[in-house]
Amino acid sequence: MYISRWTTLILCTFCVAVVGAEEQSNPSGTEKNAAQVALKYHFAEGDEWHFTLTDKGTQTSISPSAKRSAINNSSQAIHYRVVKVEADGSALIEVIVDRFRIDFTVTDVQNKQHKLVYDTDSQDAPPAGLQGVKTSIGKPFAQFIMSPAGEISELTFPQAIQQNQLKQTEQRKGLPIAFPSEPISIGKS
């Protein structure tokens, strides 16, 4: 599972759906009577948030003897599902991939193009190296406990995944954002 840099933008949509605000006094006194809010997630068992991650990019490598290029136009339909909510407001959340589509073209040093095109919604057999992708669709990819502040703990992977996918997920790529620990003023970022 590859997650692009646009994940943060997509996750903002997720945050809008689950964020609640608690008004607090302004402890710093920098803005007279300025309202501040503590950003928190409010989970409900059974809640789901669906979104699509799209990865588009071109990479070209040029050396004195050869030029290579790759074009990627891939997407994943993913959703989060709240499985259980604890008394402290934290939740057990599953990440489920609903669909995976890849359109990847590599031009080698002999200027030959090699295409890899596959969609898990098709009836076609997966190409070499992607056999496990179709069988993983619709099943939990990852599970984690998330606090109302967005802190992640107990990140587990029910399915076998590749090492690079593990590293990306452990770096919070594709996971909901964490909120600041201190209240912020309305209009600040």
Side-chain angles (χ1 to χ4, degrees):
M1 178 171 141
Y2 176 78
I3 308 297
S4 71
R5 284 186 249 171
W6 295 101
T7 302
T8 303
L9 178 63
I10 293 165
L11 291 177
C12 286
T13 304
F14 171 75
C15 294
V16 169
V18 297
V19 172
E22 297 176 7
E23 193 169 324
Q24 297 188 1
S25 64
N26 183 1
S28 65
T30 54
E31 297 176 23
K32 195 170 187 171
N33 297 325
Q36 291 196 326
V37 292
L39 300 177
K40 295 183 182 196
Y41 291 97
H42 293 276
F43 302 109
E45 197 169 303
D47 279 353
E48 290 186 354
W49 298 273
H50 295 256
F51 57 95
T52 299
L53 295 176
T54 301
D55 184 24
K56 294 182 179 187
T58 302
Q59 179 181 0
T60 303
S61 303
I62 301 172
S63 69
S65 61
K67 177 181 176 182
R68 297 179 186 133
S69 64
I71 300 170
N72 184 27
N73 185 15
S74 303
S75 66
Q76 298 176 67
I78 297 174
H79 75 274
Y80 296 116
R81 179 173 48 213
V82 177
V83 177
K84 182 179 177 185
V85 179
E86 299 294 335
D88 67 356
S90 63
L92 172 63
I93 299 175
E94 292 179 327
V95 182
I96 300 169
V97 178
D98 300 309
R99 180 181 185 187
F100 178 72
R101 188 189 56 74
I102 186 167
D103 183 348
F104 189 74
T105 304
V106 176
T107 303
D108 64 18
V109 294
Q110 286 85 29
N111 209 25
K112 285 184 172 178
Q113 285 193 342
H114 306 275
K115 286 188 75 74
L116 175 61
V117 178
Y118 181 65
D119 186 336
T120 57
D121 275 0
S122 76
Q123 298 301 319
D124 300 336
L130 294 178
Q131 290 87 355
V133 172
K134 188 149 187 156
T135 60
S136 68
I137 298 299
K139 299 175 185 170
F141 166 77
Q143 293 179 329
F144 56 91
I145 303 290
M146 188 165 143
S147 75
E151 296 164 347
I152 303 292
S153 63
E154 299 181 36
L155 178 62
T156 60
F157 299 91
Q159 300 182 39
I161 62 171
Q162 294 178 358
Q163 194 62 30
N164 65 335
Q165 293 171 317
L166 175 64
K167 287 178 185 174
Q168 287 180 356
T169 306
E170 287 176 342
Q171 295 169 353
R172 290 190 68 110
K173 292 182 179 178
L175 297 177
I177 62 171
F179 291 128
S181 57
E182 298 296 321
I184 61 171
S185 298
I186 294 174
K188 299 293 180 184
S189 59

